[in-house]
C-alpha cells in the first residue's frame, strides 16, 4: 500500500538511487548474527536487460563486478521498473545446515524467484509472486515467506523480482521467532487501523440508514473503498477473500485505487454541496469520474495492465491535489463545513507524504512512519466523521431556528396565531379556569393612513413590549393579526382576569409615540372557561364576541 504513493515520485528516487549507489561485490550475511531490519543494503543489484537472465547470466556479471550497491535496507525501484536480480553471500559457521525464514514484506510483487547457490551450483529454488494462485505459497502468509536451509560454510542467495506494480522490496532474513514477533506487532497495528476505520464506517452507515442522510452514506462508501484498497495492496484480500483468483489480485489493486478516488470525490461533492457552493468545480466531476471509469473498463477488457496501473497512479495523484484544491476553495468561499474537510484532507496527504519519505529512505525506517498513511487516514476519517456530526447539529439548529421563526411574528417577536393554537390546548382543563383576553387597537387604520406604516409598526412594537412587561410568568401573549393581540392566562378566574385586563389597558394608554405625540388605546374582550366550555377555540370565540361589544360601546373599554 505504501509503495503506491511513492511511485509518484519516481524521478526523485532515481536521483537518490544513483547518488547512493556504487559498483561493488556482494556483501556477506552471517546467519548467526542476523539484522532486525530489512537486508536491502546487503545485496548487489543487477538490473535485467531486454531479455530474461538466467542464474548463469547473473553469475557472469558477478565475476565482472558489474552490479550496484544500494545503501538502504528497503529497496524501491518505483513503477515501470525492469526486473532486478539481487545477490548476497550467506555464511553459516556451524557444522550443520540451519533453517532461516526469508520474507518479502511487499505483497503485490508479481514474481519473486529465490535461488540458493553453493560452489556455483543451484541446489534449491523457490518460485513465488502474486501472479500465482495463493495455494502455491510455501507458507500461509499475505507476504512471500519461505524457509531457507542454509548449508554450512559459504553460499549465495540470489533473488529475481519483477512486477508491473511498483517494485518495492523489503526483504527480511530472520529467525522464526523474530519474524513471528514482527508479524504480531504488525497485526496489532493493522488491527487498530482497520478496527478504527470499520467502526467509523459502520457508525456512519447506521446514521445514514436511520437519518436517511446521504452525507453519512457517501462517507461510509468512501471508508469502504479505502478498506478495499488497503486490503488489496496489503495482501489481506488475496489471503482471505480471493485466494484462488490471481486474476482478481492482478486487477484488484488499480481498480480499488480508482474506486477510492471516485468515492472520495463523490463524498466531497455531496458533503460540501458543490453543485450550489462551487458549481464551476462540480461541473467537471461527472465527466472526470465517468471518463476514468470508462478507461479502466477498456484497459481491463484489453488486458493492458501497465496502462491501467499508470491510470490508477495518475488518478491518485490528481485525486490528492483535487481534494486539497476543493477544500481550499470551499474554505475561501466560507462554507461552514470546509474547515473540517480541509484539515482532514491535510492529515491524509500528510500521512501519505511521511510514508513516501520513509520508503525513499529520507526518513529513517520505522513501522509507524511506514504506516503513516494508515494513521493519517484514521485522523482524516475521524475529522470527517466529526464534520458530519457538526453539519448534522448545525442543520438541526437551523431547523429549530426556522421552526421558532415560523412560530414568531417577525415585527413584534411575539408568538403568532399558529403558535398560539399549538401551545394553548395544553393549558385547557375542564376543572381549572382559563382566561382569554383579546385586544384590538383603536383607530389604528387612521394612524397608518395619517402617519404612515412605519409609524404604525412602531405602535405595534410598543404595544407588544407593554403587554409582555405586564404579563405574568405563566401568561402567553401573541399577535393575533393586524392590530389585534391575545393573552392566555392559565388558572385565572373572571375577577382576576378583569383586574389584569385593566392593568393591560392602562399600560397601553400610557404609551405615547413621542415623535408624533400619538396616544394609543385598545378595546378589550375577556372570557373565562367553565365546565360548559368545550375547547380553546370556543373560548377564543367568546373573547372575540366580548371584544366586538367593547368596540361597539365606544372603544378604550373592557367587556367581560
Amino acid at each position: 500500500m505504501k509503495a503506491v504513493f511513492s511511485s509518484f515520485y519516481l524521478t526523485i528516487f532515481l536521483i537518490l538511487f544513483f547518488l547512493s549507489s556504487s559498483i561493488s561485490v556482494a556483501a556477506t550475511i552471517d546467519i548467526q548474527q542476523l539484522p532486525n531490519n530489512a537486508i536491502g543494503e546487503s545485496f548487489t543489484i543487477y538490473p535485467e536487460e531486454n531479455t530474461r537472465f538466467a542464474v548463469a547470466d547473473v553469475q557472469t556479471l558477478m565475476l565482472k563486478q558489474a552490479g550496484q550497491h544500494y545503501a538502504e535496507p528497503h529497496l524501491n525501484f518505483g513503477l515501470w521498473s525492469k526486473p532486478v536480480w539481487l545477490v548476497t553471500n550467506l555464511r553459516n559457521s556451524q557444522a550443520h545446515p540451519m533453517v532461516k525464514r526469508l520474507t518479502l514484506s511487499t505483497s503485490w510483487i508479481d514474481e519473486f524467484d529465490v535461488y540458493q547457490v553453493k560452489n556455483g551450483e543451484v541446489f534449491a529454488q523457490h518460485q513465488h509472486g502474486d501472479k500465482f494462485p495463493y495455494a502455491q505459497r510455501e507458507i500461509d502468509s499475505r507476504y512471500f515467506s519461505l524457509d531457507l536451509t542454509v548449508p554450512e560454510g559459504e553460499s549465495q542467495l540470489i533473488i529475481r523480482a519483477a512486477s508491473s506494480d511498483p517494485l518495492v522490496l523489503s526483504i527480511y532474513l530472520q529467525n522464526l521467532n523474530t519474524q513471528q514477533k514482527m508479524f504480531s506487532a504488525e497485526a496489532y497495528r493493522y488491527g487498530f487501523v482497520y478496527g478504527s476505520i470499520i467502526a467509523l464506517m459502520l457508525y456512519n452507515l447506521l446514521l445514514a440508514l436511520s437519518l436517511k442522510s446521504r452525507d453519512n452514506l457517501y462517507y461510509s462508501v468512501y471508508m469502504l473503498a479505502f478498506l478495499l484498497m488497503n486490503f488489496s495492496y496489503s495482501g489481506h484480500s488475496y489471503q482471505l477473500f480471493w485466494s484462488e483468483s490471481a486474476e482478481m489480485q492482478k486487477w484488484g489493486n488499480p481498480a480499488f485505487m480508482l474506486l477510492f478516488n471516485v468515492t472520495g470525490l463523490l463524498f466531497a461533492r455531496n458533503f460540501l454541496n458543490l453543485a450550489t457552493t462551487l458549481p464551476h468545480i462540480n461541473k467537471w466531476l461527472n465527466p472526470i469520474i465517468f471518463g476514468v471509469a470508462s478507461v479502466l473498463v477498456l484497459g481491463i477488457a484489453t488486458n493492458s495492465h501497465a496502462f491501467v496501473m499508470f491510470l490508477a497512479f495518475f488518478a491518485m495523484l490528481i485525486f490528492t491535489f483535487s481534494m486539497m484544491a476543493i477544500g481550499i476553495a470551499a474554505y475561501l468561499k466560507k462554507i461552514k463545513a470546509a474547515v473540517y474537510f480541509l484539515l482532514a484532507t491535510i492529515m491524509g496527504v500528510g500521512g501519505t507524504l511521511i510514508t513516501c519519505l520513509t520508503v525513499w529512505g529520507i526518513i529513517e525506517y520505522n513501522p509507524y512512519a511506514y504506516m503513516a498513511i494508515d494513521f493519517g487516514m484514521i485522523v482524516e476519517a475521524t475529522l470527517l466523521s466529526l464534520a458530519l456530526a457538526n453539519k448534522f447539529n448545525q442543520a438541526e439548529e437551523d431547523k429549530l431556528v426556522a421552526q421558532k421563526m415560523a412560530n414568531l411574528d417577525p415585527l413584534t417577536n411575539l408568538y403568532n396565531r399558529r403558535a398560539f393554537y399549538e401551545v394553548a390546548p395544553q393549558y385547557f382543563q375542564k376543572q381549572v379556569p382559563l382566561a382569554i383576553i383579546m385586544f384590538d387597537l383603536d383607530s389604528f387604520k387612521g394612524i397608518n393612513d395619517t402617519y404612515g406604516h412605519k409609524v404604525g409598526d412602531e405602535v405595534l412594537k410598543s404595544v407588544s413590549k407593554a403587554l409582555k412587561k405586564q404579563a405574568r410568568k405563566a401568561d402567553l401573549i401573541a399577535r393575533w393579526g393586524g392590530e389585534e393581540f391575545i393573552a392566555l392566562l392559565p388558572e385565572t378566574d373572571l375577577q382576576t382576569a378583569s383586574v389584569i385586563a385593566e392593568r393591560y389597558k392602562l399600560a397601553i394608554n400610557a404609551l405615547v409615540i413621542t415623535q408624533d405625540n400619538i396616544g394609543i388605546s385598545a378595546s378589550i374582550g375577556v372570557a373565562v372557561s367553565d365546565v360548559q366550555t368545550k375547547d380553546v377555540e370556543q373560548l377564543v370565540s367568546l373573547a372575540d364576541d366580548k371584544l366586538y361589544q367593547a368596540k361597539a360601546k365606544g372603544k378604550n373599554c373592557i367587556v367581560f
Side-chain angles (χ1 to χ4, degrees):
M1 176 65 202
K2 289 69 192 180
V4 172
F5 301 96
S6 65
S7 62
F8 298 146
Y9 305 94
L10 177 59
T11 302
I12 295 176
F13 162 74
L14 291 175
I15 294 172
L16 293 172
F17 178 85
F18 288 113
L19 287 175
S20 61
S21 63
S22 60
I23 296 175
S24 67
V25 296
T28 298
I29 298 176
D30 186 343
I31 65 169
Q32 274 75 46
Q33 298 178 345
L34 292 174
N36 292 324
N37 206 348
I39 58 174
E41 56 194 348
S42 299
F43 287 110
T44 301
I45 302 165
Y46 300 90
E48 196 168 82
E49 301 301 333
N50 296 327
T51 58
R52 175 163 180 155
F53 287 170
V55 173
D57 297 321
V58 177
Q59 290 173 322
T60 300
L61 293 174
M62 291 166 57
L63 292 174
K64 295 178 180 179
Q65 297 188 3
Q68 293 178 318
H69 177 254
Y70 183 31
E72 292 293 338
H74 303 272
L75 306 177
N76 182 355
F77 300 95
L79 190 60
W80 308 301
S81 172
K82 293 181 177 181
V84 295
W85 289 77
L86 313 175
V87 179
T88 189
N89 295 318
L90 301 180
R91 179 187 299 122
N92 178 6
S93 58
Q94 298 293 318
H96 55 82
M98 299 187 68
V99 177
K100 300 298 176 182
R101 177 67 55 86
L102 180 73
T103 299
L104 170 61
S105 64
T106 313
S107 60
W108 59 82
I109 302 302
D110 295 337
E111 299 176 45
F112 182 62
D113 302 329
V114 178
Y115 304 88
Q116 289 181 264
V117 177
K118 187 172 178 67
N119 298 325
E121 298 293 330
V122 176
F123 68 88
Q125 69 180 73
H126 310 261
Q127 191 175 52
H128 286 269
D130 71 355
K131 78 173 189 178
F132 303 107
Y134 187 86
Q136 292 185 14
R137 298 191 181 187
E138 298 178 24
I139 296 172
D140 183 11
S141 171
R142 64 189 180 89
Y143 292 146
F144 305 109
S145 293
L146 56 137
D147 289 331
L148 299 181
T149 300
V150 183
E152 62 274 16
E154 299 283 337
S155 62
Q156 289 177 321
L157 175 63
I158 301 178
I159 296 173
R160 179 184 181 272
S163 185
S164 55
D165 291 87
L167 192 58
V168 178
L169 306 176
S170 293
I171 301 173
Y172 295 84
L173 185 62
Q174 301 167 307
N175 295 314
L176 181 58
N177 62 339
T178 303
Q179 188 215 47
Q180 290 174 337
K181 289 179 181 178
M182 183 181 78
F183 280 10
S184 178
E186 190 176 77
Y188 282 120
R189 290 194 296 272
Y190 271 111
F192 173 73
V193 171
Y194 292 155
S196 300
I197 298 295
I198 290 172
L200 289 169
M201 179 187 71
L202 293 178
Y203 171 72
N204 281 276
L205 181 59
L206 290 174
L207 289 178
L209 295 175
S210 60
L211 301 175
K212 294 181 173 57
S213 167
R214 295 182 66 184
D215 281 344
N216 294 90
L217 179 61
Y218 277 116
Y219 172 90
S220 299
V221 174
Y222 180 39
M223 292 299 103
L224 177 61
F226 170 77
L227 288 173
L228 291 173
M229 179 180 69
N230 199 291
F231 274 21
S232 182
Y233 257 100
S234 65
H236 288 102
S237 56
Y238 199 24
Q239 181 185 25
L240 301 174
F241 302 131
W242 47 78
S243 57
E244 298 302 318
S245 177
E247 195 71 11
M248 182 64 187
Q249 180 66 7
K250 174 182 178 180
W251 297 109
N253 293 338
F256 290 133
M257 286 174 63
L258 291 171
L259 179 64
F260 174 70
N261 297 340
V262 168
T263 55
L265 291 174
L266 290 175
F267 169 74
R269 179 169 67 180
N270 196 77
F271 178 70
L272 296 172
N273 193 20
L274 297 183
T276 302
T277 56
L278 296 168
H280 57 290
I281 292 178
N282 181 68
K283 69 179 181 180
W284 291 102
L285 293 186
N286 278 343
I288 290 173
I289 290 171
F290 285 115
V292 168
S294 300
V295 174
L296 171 66
V297 172
L298 179 63
I300 294 176
T302 57
N303 199 31
S304 303
H305 189 256
F307 172 73
V308 172
M309 291 305 304
F310 166 77
L311 175 66
F313 290 124
F314 181 73
M316 182 66 77
L317 180 63
I318 296 301
F319 167 75
T320 300
F321 288 106
S322 296
M323 292 289 276
M324 286 288 292
I326 290 172
I328 293 171
Y331 177 76
L332 295 176
K333 194 81 172 180
K334 301 189 184 302
I335 299 172
K336 290 181 180 179
V339 174
Y340 280 105
F341 181 85
L342 183 57
L343 287 175
T345 303
I346 289 172
M347 294 306 300
V349 172
T352 300
L353 181 60
I354 292 173
T355 295
C356 291
L357 293 175
T358 302
V359 171
W360 299 336
I362 296 175
I363 294 178
E364 184 178 352
Y365 177 87
N366 68 77
Y368 299 101
Y370 190 60
M371 294 182 68
I373 181 173
D374 301 319
F375 296 119
M377 191 64 192
I378 290 176
V379 177
E380 178 180 356
T382 303
L383 287 173
L384 289 177
S385 187
L386 290 173
L388 287 170
N390 178 263
K391 187 177 180 181
F392 174 78
N393 290 336
Q394 186 63 51
E396 289 299 302
E397 289 178 10
D398 292 344
K399 188 185 297 183
L400 290 174
V401 170
Q403 290 174 347
K404 182 177 180 181
M405 294 304 296
N407 290 331
L408 291 179
D409 172 61
L411 178 65
T412 62
N413 208 32
L414 294 175
Y415 278 123
N416 55 26
R417 184 183 297 202
R418 172 174 173 265
F420 177 87
Y421 274 127
E422 286 182 358
V423 176
Q426 63 185 292
Y427 292 99
F428 184 80
Q429 301 177 48
K430 286 286 187 181
Q431 306 302 323
V432 180
L434 176 69
I436 293 289
I437 302 175
M438 294 197 71
F439 310 83
D440 187 296
L441 301 185
D442 298 328
S443 305
F444 184 74
K445 184 177 183 302
I447 294 174
N448 273 336
D449 292 343
T450 304
Y451 301 101
H453 288 282
K454 184 176 180 180
V455 173
D457 289 347
E458 289 299 320
V459 170
L460 293 174
K461 289 191 284 187
S462 297
V463 170
S464 67
K465 290 178 181 177
L467 295 178
K468 284 192 289 186
K469 186 176 181 179
Q470 294 298 323
R472 300 172 303 178
K473 188 175 181 179
D475 295 346
L476 174 65
I477 308 295
R479 184 181 177 191
W480 200 241
E483 65 271 24
E484 291 185 330
F485 295 84
I486 191 169
L488 181 148
L489 286 60
E491 301 181 16
T492 305
D493 57 24
L494 182 59
Q495 183 179 357
T496 304
S498 61
V499 172
I500 294 174
E502 180 66 25
R503 196 164 66 225
Y504 280 137
K505 184 175 82 71
L506 293 175
I508 293 172
N509 293 155
L511 293 174
V512 177
I513 306 302
T514 55
Q515 61 187 49
D516 294 293
N517 199 29
I518 301 171
I520 305 171
S521 65
S523 299
I524 301 174
V526 181
V528 177
S529 66
D530 55 28
V531 293
Q532 303 299 322
T533 308
K534 295 180 180 179
D535 50 33
V536 171
E537 287 83 353
Q538 184 183 15
L539 186 59
V540 170
S541 180
L542 292 173
D544 195 42
D545 290 342
K546 300 296 184 182
L547 172 62
Y548 277 99
Q549 294 176 31
K551 295 189 84 65
K553 288 180 65 174
K555 305 176 183 180
N556 196 32
C557 63
I558 302 172
V559 174
F560 48 84

